Amino acid sequence: RDRSPSRGLGDVYKRQLLAAQAQADGRLVREQLKDGNPRVRANAVEALWGSKHPSAVRIFEEIVRQGTDHHRVLVNAVVGLYLADHQAVAVAKLKSLAQAESPAHQAAVAWAMGFLEDTVFDSTLASLATSSHSGVATAATRARERGVSNKAGSKFLEPPPEC
């Protein structure tokens, strides 16, 4: 869905960062988080998903605490916390971000809730699905549909639309 001229660049960084995920100190990820391209930063955070290492958790927590980064970077950090067994913090943050004024943040939150497939998000997704912003409503509807389709074995969910 990325139509930017540097589309392949993010894929290259993503592969590099996934390979570097084993680096416990997260130096490469921290370097990538300084990049001006939010897709590179979002991929850097995503590369740490599934890691429960304290350095990865610190990176997720720092991004969430700052809360000022691009919507995808921020939401990827919240997903990282959830996957690192910090569900209570992640659930509270996603529900809070669902109330953000930014449609981009709301759409990214809906995507994350669908990705995580936790029924604790059902009422929030139902609310987002009624948004007057079509990108938010679409992302929430897809997220809700994902929960239903995954009961049948599907694991596909489109990334959130750019709002």
Side-chain angles (χ1 to χ4, degrees), residues 11 17 30-31 36 41 52 57 64 66-68 73 78 85 88 93 101 110 151:
D11 294 337
L17 291 170
R30 286 192 182 279
E31 282 300 311
R41 295 193 312 273
K52 297 177 185 179
V57 172
V64 170
Q66 292 166 0
T68 58
V73 179
V78 177
D85 292 333
K93 186 63 177 180
E101 289 185 30
K151 290 179 176 75

Side-chain angles (χ1 to χ4, degrees), residues 86-117:
H86 293 261
Q87 285 89 358
V89 171
V91 166
K93 186 63 177 180
L94 285 173
K95 286 185 173 188
S96 171
L97 287 170
Q99 304 302 315
E101 289 185 30
S102 162
H105 279 77
Q106 290 178 336
V109 164
W111 174 87
M113 289 177 172
F115 176 81
L116 294 171
E117 300 179 328

Side-chain angles (χ1 to χ4, degrees), residues 54-66:
S55 66
V57 172
R58 272 192 303 277
I59 289 170
F60 299 144
E61 290 173 336
E62 288 169 15
I63 293 168
V64 170
R65 188 173 35 259
Q66 292 166 0

Side-chain angles (χ1 to χ4, degrees), residues 4-60:
S4 68
S6 63
R7 177 179 182 188
L9 184 63
D11 294 337
V12 170
Y13 279 120
K14 195 173 206 176
R15 284 192 300 275
Q16 289 173 341
L17 291 170
L18 288 171
Q21 183 175 358
Q23 275 191 337
D25 62 10
R27 281 180 288 162
L28 179 58
V29 171
R30 286 192 182 279
E31 282 300 311
Q32 296 304 316
L33 288 174
K34 296 174 187 173
D35 194 286
N37 184 338
R39 291 179 189 275
V40 171
R41 295 193 312 273
N43 286 342
V45 174
E46 185 179 340
L48 295 174
W49 283 1
S51 174
K52 297 177 185 179
H53 193 278
S55 66
V57 172
R58 272 192 303 277
I59 289 170
F60 299 144

